[in-house]
Amino acid sequence: MPRQGSTANGRRATVVDVARLAGVSTATVSRVMNRNYPVAAATRERVEEAMRELGYVVNAHARALAGVSGRTVGIIISDVVDPFYAYIARGVEREATAGGRLCLVCSTQGDPQRELAFIELMHERRADAVILVGGSVADRGYRTELERRARELDAGGSKLVLCGRPSLGKDAPTVGVEYDNEGGAFAITDHLLAEGHERILYLGGPPGLSTTKERIAGHRRALEQRGLPRDPALVQPGAFSRQFGHRRMTELLRDGPEFTAVFAANDIVAAGAAQALEEAGMRVPQDVSLVGYDDVPVAQELRPRLTTVHIPLEEMGRQAVRVALAGGDEDDWRAPTTGTLRLGTHLVVRDSVAAPRVVRRRRG
Amino acid sequence: MPRQGSTANGRRATVVDVARLAGVSTATVSRVMNRNYPVAAATRERVEEAMRELGYVVNAHARALAGVSGRTVGIIISDVVDPFYAYIARGVEREATAGGRLCLVCSTQGDPQRELAFIELMHERRADAVILVGGSVADRGYRTELERRARELDAGGSKLVLCGRPSLGKDAPTVGVEYDNEGGAFAITDHLLAEGHERILYLGGPPGLSTTKERIAGHRRALEQRGLPRDPALVQPGAFSRQFGHRRMTELLRDGPEFTAVFAANDIVAAGAAQALEEAGMRVPQDVSLVGYDDVPVAQELRPRLTTVHIPLEEMGRQAVRVALAGGDEDDWRAPTTGTLRLGTHLVVRDSVAAPRVVRRRRG
DNA sequence: GTGAAAGCGCTAACAA
DNA sequence: TTGTTAGCGCTTTCAC
């Protein structure tokens, strides 16, 4: 008795084997698999029986080669564990699955070279779309390379989607999904300002990263609108990590500038800062107010619960695949090969902000 | 001028195009791509130039069809956003990438039918391995189906890896990576017992799920070892969600049995329970002790910080791909087609446990 | 060192 | 309704 799932001589079963066993042609086998063409009930029955008996599993590569889409979308993020990316990935995965597609995921740990390499890999697999998620640092060479890949992808009928990162320019064949990053930063800073804070520390976020720049820009616009000066000592970029938030906050509490509120670059950094504050015996929000960005789950676990900016992360992921696949079906020459969808953000007020009470200690 | 990335007539460039432009045969083009065979420097140069000029990108499907591995591993989890799965996924992704492989991710939302469907899909793509993560409910039909898929996969040279779920039996061609789930539950319960707790509420975890069963088994063993009775009213399974933890804890506080400690089925459930306790004005650990399981980040954010059981999640992911790919390279008939790797768990003592003080309110 | 040609497994005309 | 057959793009003997 042959092992199930293989033919007598040990090979994997193929359409030819199935056809032979069922006494039909390979075309018929193909037709019963794809149900895209009429096949007599009796014939279909025999074919299905043969497939079962042989443990036949269609070869997706052969099928893709023969011309049908591989039905894959690729997503490139910096870390699956980071909730910011995880929620976007969930949106992508759900939308892809809803469209009968599989999702290829790559993590780069923030390395631009790996981004490029992964785009290439997904292109080789003929992914229907590749979605690049998260901010980027402005780099001439990198930008050029990315644009080249975008063109290659486009020439092959796939789309490069920029999700939460700036466009490559009007002539690059990419499509984008953004969120109102600057606006969210403006809103939350203004919230702090309205409570009476005048010295706000901006903490964390890789310097040079587009995400950081936009958040700081919104922050500054709010300051300017109220006629407040910008103090360089009050912006302390760094990593998007809990560890950074904790360490830097600790240092700053010891010998940094005075401030009455902290605007952490994201909720994770805020969690680290909160711990530092706690260890230093400072109460939030009585002694210092604290806000974050992203509105990921940790914001609700912190005590006091964190006031932050909500980003429709999962929705961004969904839209990224929609936008990439829209009109990609046929050759509509007018289909916009470029364009950006922008989603809104909004302030989520919880318990970590109060009016300032005492000015924090003077410097060093 | 032809669009970059395509030939004059608009098709994607193929080896044939490259060969023609470089004035060599397709075999030579293949050889320069794969660097697995000597090619004259000058020839190589011409070919590479042609590839660049044409924007040539190899077709992974054609390559796979021609016999080289697709270098893909598939992972099936229930939700990318859940840190338990996210950390395992990170391990899988990292190990896969380290081995030059790409990672296909599927989320099932806990639906066994989708699990089966996804396994099929990954098989169609000829994944080198498919990793099934997380507990399962014992179901005759499902088990049979799964075993059938495992055989098909095995017949095709791929491996089904059971990660954190019970084996299908000695004769099923699967490989496994587990963690000492029962032992961790025993240890943490015993920790509570040692502090003097005698009425411990077990909260959450889908009933029937292998993960739940094992944790409860460890919990009971600890109780028995100390000669304590098991009270059915004290085990309240449910979902693995924050919402469940919160809702059920609230109800139980109102009209449940007496208890002095809560063993939440995982850290997420613990977070929900903590909130319910907080809302009811009960302090942890003074009024009631609380412990979780998994040791995911939220455990460190809760106040008091949560005592829990650490699971080497990322390591499990890594091992899952190692174990699946080990010896899968050639036809070593002795290579174990089955076998399970078991990793340890350990108690992480933080601040959420203290000796019992008052017995919680009586029922009804 | 390089080329010719035979597949790999499937789909889609085109015939019958 | 079903069969025949020509590819899809690449790798890989086997010759030269």
Side-chain angles (χ1 to χ4, degrees):
Chain A
M1 179 183 109
R3 246 186 330 175
Q4 184 193 26
S6 50
T7 50
N9 60 52
R11 277 186 307 100
R12 253 186 230 257
T14 71
V15 266
V16 176
D17 301 311
V18 176
R20 180 159 35 227
L21 182 55
V24 300
S25 73
T26 62
T28 300
V29 174
S30 173
R31 296 198 265 256
V32 346
M33 284 198 291
N34 301 301
R35 342 184 139 282
N36 53 1
Y37 224 79
V39 170
T43 310
R44 155 176 310 271
E45 190 45 60
R46 262 184 304 140
V47 172
E48 285 174 339
E49 171 56 23
M51 300 206 291
R52 220 170 298 127
E53 184 157 336
L54 259 23
Y56 173 76
V57 176
V58 63
N59 183 326
H61 296 302
R63 176 180 270 174
L65 189 54
V68 323
S69 158
R71 309 224 120 236
T72 304
V73 342
I75 174 175
I76 301 178
I77 62 188
S78 105
D79 185 3
V80 242
V81 157
D82 182 325
F84 176 89
Y85 295 104
Y87 275 96
I88 292 178
R90 183 203 249 177
V92 169
E93 216 269 348
R94 289 188 170 171
E95 186 68 24
T97 299
R101 262 167 267 256
L102 239 28
C103 190
L104 223 28
V105 177
C106 302
S107 299
T108 63
Q109 312 311 323
D111 178 355
Q113 289 314 307
R114 295 189 60 189
E115 271 181 19
L116 260 16
F118 280 138
I119 293 176
E120 192 92 22
L121 250 20
M122 326 222 98
H123 188 175
E124 290 178 6
R125 308 213 170 193
R126 301 298 187 257
D128 298 334
V130 5
I131 302 171
L132 199 46
V133 184
S136 64
V137 317
D139 176 278
R140 199 94 186 86
Y142 170 74
R143 216 198 91 107
T144 307
E145 276 301 293
L146 193 53
E147 184 164 348
R148 185 164 72 69
R149 300 260 188 331
R151 282 190 201 299
E152 290 179 359
L153 239 15
D154 186 60
S158 308
K159 215 42 119 213
L160 179 64
V161 185
L162 269 15
C163 188
R165 88 161 47 184
S167 160
L168 254 31
K170 223 27 187 169
D171 46 343
T174 64
V175 77
V177 176
E178 303 177 351
Y179 56 98
D180 187 9
N181 199 11
E182 199 267 359
F186 174 86
I188 203 162
T189 297
D190 199 61
H191 176 65
L192 250 14
L193 262 18
E195 284 290 332
H197 294 275
E198 300 202 331
R199 291 192 61 78
I200 304 172
L201 173 70
Y202 184 90
L203 184 72
L209 193 72
S210 57
T211 309
T212 300
K213 288 186 186 169
E214 292 163 8
R215 292 183 186 180
I216 290 180
H219 174 60
R220 289 197 169 138
R221 181 160 65 84
L223 253 27
E224 278 158 19
Q225 185 195 257
R226 300 248 183 182
L228 258 18
R230 65 162 74 164
D231 180 348
L234 286 177
V235 1
Q236 302 276 348
F240 265 142
S241 72
R242 186 183 202 289
Q243 190 195 334
F244 173 81
H246 179 247
R247 183 167 49 71
R248 193 47 153 272
M249 188 77 240
T250 301
E251 296 167 0
L252 259 19
L253 245 18
R254 199 176 53 237
D255 45 40
E258 297 169 353
F259 54 85
T260 60
V262 178
F263 177 176
N266 73 9
D267 296 344
I268 307 284
V269 170
Q275 187 187 337
L277 256 9
E278 174 182 40
E279 290 166 354
M282 317 236 30
R283 294 162 307 167
V284 174
Q286 298 92 326
D287 301 323
V288 21
S289 288
L290 174 66
V291 301
Y293 208 115
D294 291 356
D295 193 28
V296 291
V298 65
Q300 313 210 40
E301 301 300 350
L302 295 180
R303 290 296 175 276
R305 295 177 318 144
L306 192 68
T307 286
T308 187
V309 175
H310 180 80
I311 305 177
L313 297 170
E314 185 170 337
E315 182 62 13
M316 284 177 64
R318 293 197 118 96
Q319 293 296 351
V321 356
R322 281 207 196 116
V323 107
L325 270 23
D329 294 328
E330 76 311 321
D331 29 16
D332 176 0
W333 289 87
R334 262 84 44 77
T337 179
T338 191
T340 292
L341 183 63
R342 182 191 211 87
L343 306 183
T345 52
H346 65 261
L347 183 62
V348 177
V349 176
R350 290 201 265 253
D351 319 316
S352 62
V353 173
R357 212 170 55 173
V358 243
V359 170
R360 286 271 319 111
R361 40 174 312 160
R362 72 226 79 60
R363 78 172 14 146
Chain B
M1 180 184 104
R3 247 184 330 173
Q4 184 192 24
S6 51
T7 51
N9 60 51
R11 278 185 308 98
R12 252 186 232 255
T14 72
V15 265
V16 176
D17 301 311
V18 175
R20 181 158 35 225
L21 181 54
V24 299
S25 74
T26 62
T28 299
V29 174
S30 174
R31 295 198 263 256
V32 344
M33 285 198 293
N34 300 302
R35 343 182 139 282
N36 54 359
Y37 221 79
V39 170
T43 310
R44 156 176 309 271
E45 189 44 60
R46 261 185 304 141
V47 171
E48 286 175 338
E49 170 56 24
M51 299 206 293
R52 222 169 296 126
E53 184 158 335
L54 260 21
Y56 174 76
V57 176
V58 65
N59 183 326
H61 296 301
R63 177 180 269 174
L65 188 54
V68 325
S69 157
R71 309 223 120 236
T72 304
V73 342
I75 174 175
I76 301 178
I77 62 188
S78 103
D79 185 3
V80 240
V81 157
D82 183 325
F84 176 90
Y85 294 104
Y87 276 95
I88 291 178
R90 184 203 246 178
V92 169
E93 217 269 347
R94 288 188 171 171
E95 187 68 24
T97 299
R101 261 167 269 258
L102 241 28
C103 190
L104 225 26
V105 178
C106 302
S107 299
T108 62
Q109 313 310 324
D111 178 356
Q113 288 315 309
R114 295 190 60 187
E115 269 181 18
L116 261 14
F118 279 139
I119 294 175
E120 191 93 22
L121 250 20
M122 327 223 92
H123 187 174
E124 290 179 4
R125 308 216 170 190
R126 300 301 187 256
D128 298 333
V130 4
I131 302 170
L132 200 45
V133 183
S136 63
V137 317
D139 176 278
R140 200 95 184 85
Y142 171 75
R143 217 199 90 108
T144 306
E145 276 302 293
L146 193 53
E147 184 164 348
R148 186 164 71 69
R149 299 260 188 332
R151 283 192 201 297
E152 291 179 358
L153 239 15
D154 185 61
S158 308
K159 212 46 117 211
L160 179 64
V161 185
L162 270 14
C163 188
R165 90 162 45 184
S167 160
L168 255 30
K170 227 20 190 173
D171 46 342
T174 64
V175 78
V177 176
E178 302 178 349
Y179 57 100
D180 186 10
N181 199 12
E182 198 267 1
F186 174 86
I188 203 161
T189 297
D190 198 61
H191 176 65
L192 252 14
L193 262 20
E195 285 290 334
H197 294 277
E198 300 201 333
R199 293 192 58 78
I200 303 172
L201 173 71
Y202 185 90
L203 184 73
L209 193 71
S210 57
T211 309
T212 300
K213 287 186 185 169
E214 292 163 9
R215 291 184 187 179
I216 290 179
H219 173 61
R220 289 198 170 138
R221 181 160 64 86
L223 254 27
E224 278 158 20
Q225 184 195 258
R226 300 250 183 182
L228 259 18
R230 65 162 71 165
D231 181 346
L234 286 177
V235 0
Q236 301 277 346
F240 264 143
S241 72
R242 186 184 201 288
Q243 190 194 332
F244 173 82
H246 179 247
R247 182 168 49 70
R248 193 46 154 274
M249 189 76 242
T250 300
E251 295 166 0
L252 259 20
L253 246 17
R254 197 177 53 237
D255 45 38
E258 296 169 354
F259 55 85
T260 61
V262 178
F263 178 177
N266 72 11
D267 296 344
I268 307 285
V269 171
Q275 186 187 337
L277 255 8
E278 175 182 39
E279 290 166 354
M282 315 234 32
R283 293 161 308 165
V284 173
Q286 298 92 327
D287 301 322
V288 22
S289 288
L290 174 66
V291 301
Y293 208 116
D294 291 357
D295 193 27
V296 291
V298 66
Q300 312 211 39
E301 301 300 351
L302 296 178
R303 288 297 175 274
R305 295 176 317 144
L306 193 69
T307 286
T308 186
V309 175
H310 180 79
I311 304 177
L313 297 169
E314 186 170 336
E315 182 61 14
M316 284 177 65
R318 294 196 117 96
Q319 294 295 353
V321 357
R322 282 208 195 115
V323 106
L325 269 22
D329 295 327
E330 76 310 318
D331 29 16
D332 176 358
W333 289 86
R334 262 87 43 79
T337 180
T338 191
T340 292
L341 183 62
R342 183 192 209 85
L343 305 184
T345 52
H346 64 262
L347 182 61
V348 177
V349 176
R350 289 202 266 252
D351 320 317
S352 63
V353 172
R357 211 172 51 177
V358 242
V359 169
R360 286 271 317 109
R361 39 174 314 161
R362 70 227 77 61
R363 83 171 8 144

